[in-house]
Amino acid sequence: MLLPTKHTKIYESFYGIGGLIIKHLSNKPISIDDLFESISISLTKKNLSQINIVNKFYLSLCFLYSVGVIDIQDNGIYLK
């Protein structure tokens, strides 16, 4: 599921993954590959499948960008 419900844990939703992305970002740019690697390590400990992690990671990035929390430049992603 994309949104948390009473049957879905928060870390399985893109809100939860968005929170992890914010936690791993700083004002310094980081590449998408490095960010995904650090996020996937955190999420595989919670038994999410790799396919779900990839899809929800990119949806979470789109969500955070659309609400203005992150900025994407040529040299990477960083918090605004």
Side-chain angles (χ1 to χ4, degrees):
M1 295 299 295
L2 296 176
L3 299 174
T5 64
K6 66 180 182 178
H7 303 291
T8 307
K9 295 180 172 65
I10 188 75
Y11 65 82
E12 294 175 346
S13 69
F14 72 97
Y15 292 140
I17 296 174
L20 281 174
I21 290 171
I22 291 171
K23 183 179 172 183
H24 284 90
L25 286 177
S26 65
N27 293 333
K28 300 182 308 183
I30 184 172
S31 71
I32 291 177
D33 294 332
D34 293 339
L35 180 61
F36 177 74
E37 186 175 323
S38 64
I39 296 294
S40 65
I41 289 170
S42 299
L43 290 175
T44 51
K45 293 178 183 175
K46 297 182 182 196
N47 296 327
L48 278 178
S49 72
Q50 196 68 22
I51 294 170
N52 287 338
I53 292 172
V54 172
N55 291 337
K56 291 179 181 179
F57 174 76
Y58 285 110
L59 285 172
S60 298
L61 281 178
C62 290
F63 170 70
L64 292 173
Y65 182 76
S66 66
V67 296
V69 175
I70 62 172
D71 196 17
I72 301 172
Q73 299 292 328
D74 290 339
N75 54 352
I77 302 170
Y78 60 93
L79 287 174
K80 278 191 172 180

